[in-house]
Amino acid sequence: MEETRSSDFQFNESQTSSFSSSTPYVKYLPTIFSPSSHVPYITTTNNWITAYFNEYTASLSNVERFTRYWRPSFHLNYNQSQSRSGPDNSVLPTTKWIAVNRGLSSLESTSLPRIPELKAAFDALASVHHTNGHSTLTVSKLDNLAIKYNILSGKWLVFTSVNTVDKLWQDVVQMVCMYRQRGFAKVSVNQEEEVGKMNNSRVICVYVEDFTDLEEVRSLRDDLRTVVGVERKIPFKMDAYSHMGIYKGNKWGISPARWFE
């Protein structure tokens, strides 16, 4: 399964808006979280379900409740319009991503990502790629473009099946929110393989804010291996690669994985 091409690690106002009275998930909240306990802030906008955990809400019970009631194994049956997981799964057919945010790390940047400029610079390099025997699209040059235009975030990609994704996702959420106590992760839901046919695979993306922080990149990979149990090799993809259109089978012959460990 190839990484989906939408919704990279970018937060905007629509993703942080609060519940409205018309939000269909509101009715589930009293049965999920105890009114007397600290609960995560949850938004359900733009085909995303996002839970914002902090030091007070990142408890095992809250993690288990969130991952139990919003399960990525949701699978729309086109004939019956029912969830694969049954009526107790609160994911809707329009949901594309389920995410958790445990807050940003201590690394803060004073400059904003410059995505249009990154694309323009990449297109200029790509236009002369392999001209006169010179390769302009090297790993180091792509790294430099990402750094220059401040597109530094990236993610480890964990591919799994619809049959195993729920438990794996819960373990990842627990690792991010409770063990590491920082970070952002998302899991795909309802991604179409082709029109009218749903994909039975899922991808979990676990982010770092700065791919040049190799200690953090490798630390996250180690935790995915030792805490979650993802021992097989998995790819790390920079968000800059997504903005530059570098996906599997691209015409430049560039691997979309910056690392594969």
Side-chain angles (χ1 to χ4, degrees), residues 29 32 42 89 168 178:
L29 289 179
I32 297 175
I42 298 175
N89 192 346
L168 183 58
M178 300 179 63

Side-chain angles (χ1 to χ4, degrees), residues 49-199:
I49 300 169
T50 306
Y52 296 83
F53 287 89
N54 57 36
E55 60 182 308
Y56 303 107
T57 61
S59 65
L60 181 59
S61 61
N62 280 345
V63 167
E64 288 180 342
R65 287 170 178 141
F66 173 74
T67 56
R68 183 187 309 127
Y69 282 87
W70 284 285
R71 299 199 301 277
S73 63
F74 179 96
H75 194 293
L76 180 66
N77 185 316
Y78 275 89
N79 295 322
Q80 301 176 4
S81 296
Q82 292 179 345
S83 160
R84 175 187 179 94
S85 302
D88 59 334
N89 192 346
S90 302
V91 174
L92 291 182
T94 55
T95 303
K96 298 300 181 185
W97 294 100
I98 302 172
V100 292
N101 181 4
R102 182 59 168 90
L104 303 180
S105 74
S106 59
L107 296 176
E108 296 183 357
S109 175
T110 57
S111 57
L112 295 174
R114 297 153 60 191
I115 296 172
E117 294 167 88
L118 170 74
K119 291 179 178 179
F122 173 79
D123 289 343
L125 284 179
S127 66
V128 294
H129 185 49
H130 285 162
T131 300
N132 298 325
H134 296 292
S135 178
T136 57
L137 298 178
T138 63
V139 170
S140 61
K141 287 183 178 179
L142 296 179
D143 283 354
N144 289 336
L145 285 181
I147 294 169
K148 180 178 180 179
Y149 297 108
N150 199 39
I151 317 291
L152 302 179
S153 56
K155 63 266 186 182
W156 288 105
L157 304 175
V158 185
F159 295 99
T160 190
S161 73
V162 70
N163 295 318
T164 58
V165 67
D166 288 345
K167 178 61 167 63
L168 183 58
W169 171 241
Q170 184 180 88
D171 290 343
V172 168
V173 173
Q174 188 172 337
M175 179 201 70
V176 170
C177 295
M178 300 179 63
Y179 183 80
R180 291 178 64 83
Q181 300 180 17
R182 65 186 186 279
F184 180 90
K186 67 181 184 181
V187 59
S188 63
V189 186
N190 291 325
Q191 306 288 346
E192 285 191 332
E193 189 171 23
E194 55 187 70
V195 176
K197 181 180 179 181
M198 299 309 294
N199 199 321

